[in-house]
Amino acid sequence: MDIPESTNFIQDIIVDDLKTGKRDHVLTRFPPEPNGYIHIGHAKSICLNFGTAKKFCGKTNLRFDDTNPTKEDTEYVDSIYNDVHWLGFNWEEPVHYASDYYDQLYDFAEQLIQLGKAYVDDLSPEEMREYRGNDAGKPSKPSPYRDRSIEENLDLFRRMKAGEFADGAKTLRAKLDLSSPNMNMRDPAVYRIKHATHHRTGDKWCIYPMYDFAHPLSDWIEGITHSICTLEFEAHRPLYNWFLETLNLKNRPQQIEFARLNLSYTVMSKRKLLELVKSGRVMGWDDPRMPTVCGFRRRGYTPSSIREFCDRIGISKADSMVDINLLYFCIREELNRTASRAMAVLDPIKVVIDNWEDGKVEEVDVENNPEDPNAGTRKVPFGKELFIERDDFMENPPKKYFRLKPDGEVRLKGAYFVKCVSVEKDADGNVTTVHCTYDPATKGGDSPDGRKVKGTIHWVNASTAVDAEVRLFDNLFTLENTGDVPDGEDPLNYLNPDSMIVKQAKLEPSLAKANLNDRFQFMRQGYFCLDSRDSKPEHLVFNRTVGLKDSWGKAQAK
Ligand code: ATP
Ligand code: MG
């Protein structure tokens, strides 16, 4: 095959491996732990693993890292299938589970014992921690059980498997290097006892392999060539290699680390996300404010916008914080090209056209997408009573206010010039209705006499308006870096109270026919889609995917 050009340090390694003949193919894997829904950080890893393999005509396995029996759930497994597919990637069939390899992993553990490279320890987890010392200079001391004979270790390990001991009573540990400055190398645990039912293996096992042991061996069993993971595993790499080398396995996978995605104004820890869901502070894992893939989907993001984002952030070896506005930018750019325009009034105030015939409704043509010449126009009804945005009228406006004001004239998008002639107020002096006259010569929104108006505002005809609930979303947190909370504080104390604002809106009637896959630009308001969970024909709910204002592009331009 022609080897493509590398565009990052991971591809450098792959290109080199293919050129030198170290490898003749590429097989990566995405290894989620099914203990939560996947988030935008996982999406980065998915795009990286699947995208890299694809570039080199390779393949990618989906493997559930289900070595922790108590925290896992088939609900999560199903959601992960769904989300990876939705992002546009296909894994190699069949799907793999670390639990598929429990028999083989157990055999590998016995081999380690037989090689004199693992022992059964009776120290409690607390004692073990104490004995291991720390990397701040506290030396380790060997466990009194470290020098058990191979026979005794084998016998005890088999009895661990048979269920003779209680949780935590014994642990199989690698016999490695207690003086290593790398804590991962100080006789790490290989198997622990946990009498728990596993979502796939049921009660077959009461001992479970540790991640650091299961992971390299699962990679090897599947024939993974490049095992891409996040930076926190860098210090685990010597251990990853040690298991493979000690067991004398050939064609070993290579672990390569990259910096995880951190995104501003949100959290990425599954534990924190679960807490948000469990405490009812969001509407679920797919709440449109959540950084989960299902949350973004419900909010109206497309798979291509998320892939574009992952592409733009690139990969590196240094941790950094990505501005969430870049994500907003990616979806906005796409929807600007693809979304149909529509008119919706989110905070309505009534306008009456005094010189319009009672009961008459006329259709005007409004363009569907100025960015797309092929998108055509649609008919929008116009009549005597309309709604406009409350803040598009001001009774006592400042200078340079070009929207509707007493004696002022504006263009109603696609319809007519209207001029404000009077207002009605309630007992408290609030304007309840704005009276206007229209100029019949300005149909289509321009005046034949060359008269100009400075403002164009959107509107919805009252008699044909459709009611809808509209949800406006903002960042979930008020803190840019949620990893940087003051000492001892919980980032959940920094939730944005205005992260969701609900409006009772008036929509143009074409929106009653919207489908779940449709995307709209509500003129001057942003991009919207139906809410997949809560919208019903008799009660429409629209989500704002993103507003129109581009803070990212502006910041870049500066
Ligand atoms: P936790 O939230 O408990 O730390 P995790 O995010 O590591 O868990 P996993 O299910 O183990 O969750 O992750 C699956 C894969 O996704 C791993 O390879 C992991 O390195 C990668 N991954 C997880 N978070 C990020 C992130 N923020 N950026 C990039 N990759 C990530
Ligand atoms: Mg993990």
Side-chain angles (χ1 to χ4, degrees), residues 29-35 38-46 49 65 80 211 215 228-230 232-233 258-262 268-271:
R29 86 285 170 267
F30 174 63
E33 191 182 334
N35 60 352
I38 58 177
H39 53 54
I40 187 79
H42 296 117
K44 174 176 178 176
S45 172
I46 290 168
N49 276 293
D65 232 315
I80 294 170
Y211 178 88
H215 201 75
I228 304 170
C229 64
T230 39
E232 69 272 21
F233 290 102
F258 71 102
R260 64 170 48 233
L261 167 66
N262 299 307
M268 217 76 93
S269 136
K270 282 193 268 191
R271 201 169 47 81

Side-chain angles (χ1 to χ4, degrees), residues 1-213:
M1 109 176 158
D2 278 344
I3 301 170
E5 290 267 312
S6 162
T7 56
N8 61 46
F9 73 93
I10 293 180
Q11 295 181 13
D12 289 347
I13 296 173
I14 294 176
V15 165
D16 211 48
D17 288 350
L18 293 171
K19 283 194 175 150
T20 59
K22 179 180 173 191
R23 316 266 182 200
D24 61 5
H25 70 287
V26 173
L27 180 63
T28 59
R29 86 285 170 267
F30 174 63
E33 191 182 334
N35 60 352
Y37 282 66
I38 58 177
H39 53 54
I40 187 79
H42 296 117
K44 174 176 178 176
S45 172
I46 290 168
C47 290
L48 177 59
N49 276 293
F50 284 87
T52 305
K54 195 167 169 196
K55 172 162 179 178
F56 295 94
C57 300
K59 291 172 175 165
T60 303
N61 285 353
L62 174 62
R63 182 197 317 140
F64 289 101
D65 232 315
D66 56 352
T67 48
N68 186 354
T70 50
K71 284 206 224 144
E72 293 152 5
D73 197 314
T74 47
E75 177 197 344
Y76 298 136
V77 170
D78 293 341
S79 76
I80 294 170
Y81 280 141
N82 193 27
D83 290 347
V84 175
H85 257 152
W86 182 78
L87 283 171
F89 298 107
N90 292 306
W91 53 85
E92 267 304 281
E93 292 293 349
V95 170
H96 299 271
Y97 292 84
S99 57
D100 291 342
Y101 312 133
Y102 281 173
D103 285 307
Q104 272 165 288
L105 294 173
Y106 177 83
D107 289 344
F108 280 130
E110 282 209 355
Q111 281 183 46
L112 284 180
I113 295 173
Q114 253 141 1
L115 290 164
K117 297 291 187 188
Y119 62 97
V120 173
D121 197 348
D122 296 3
L123 292 183
S124 69
E126 298 72 44
E127 289 168 327
M128 219 178 280
R129 211 168 302 129
E130 183 58 32
Y131 274 68
R132 282 175 90 185
N134 63 34
D135 50 9
K138 184 175 166 198
S140 60
K141 54 179 181 179
S143 161
Y145 308 99
R146 195 171 196 255
D147 291 318
R148 279 175 162 154
S149 70
I150 289 174
E151 290 66 36
E152 189 184 2
N153 280 321
L154 261 187
D155 174 60
L156 287 173
F157 187 48
R158 286 174 185 167
R159 286 164 58 196
M160 280 168 63
K161 180 189 179 206
E164 281 188 33
F165 308 113
D167 288 6
K170 294 197 174 353
T171 308
L172 183 72
R173 296 177 71 178
K175 196 170 185 175
L176 224 157
D177 180 5
L178 285 173
S179 61
S180 174
N182 181 348
M183 292 300 294
N184 296 301
M185 303 299 270
R186 294 191 186 176
D187 289 12
V190 176
Y191 264 89
R192 60 185 167 154
I193 302 173
K194 199 158 200 172
H195 291 267
T197 305
H198 186 278
H199 73 111
R200 294 188 77 242
T201 57
D203 292 320
K204 178 175 174 192
W205 296 89
C206 61
I207 55 172
Y208 289 94
M210 302 304 289
Y211 178 88
D212 279 340
F213 173 72

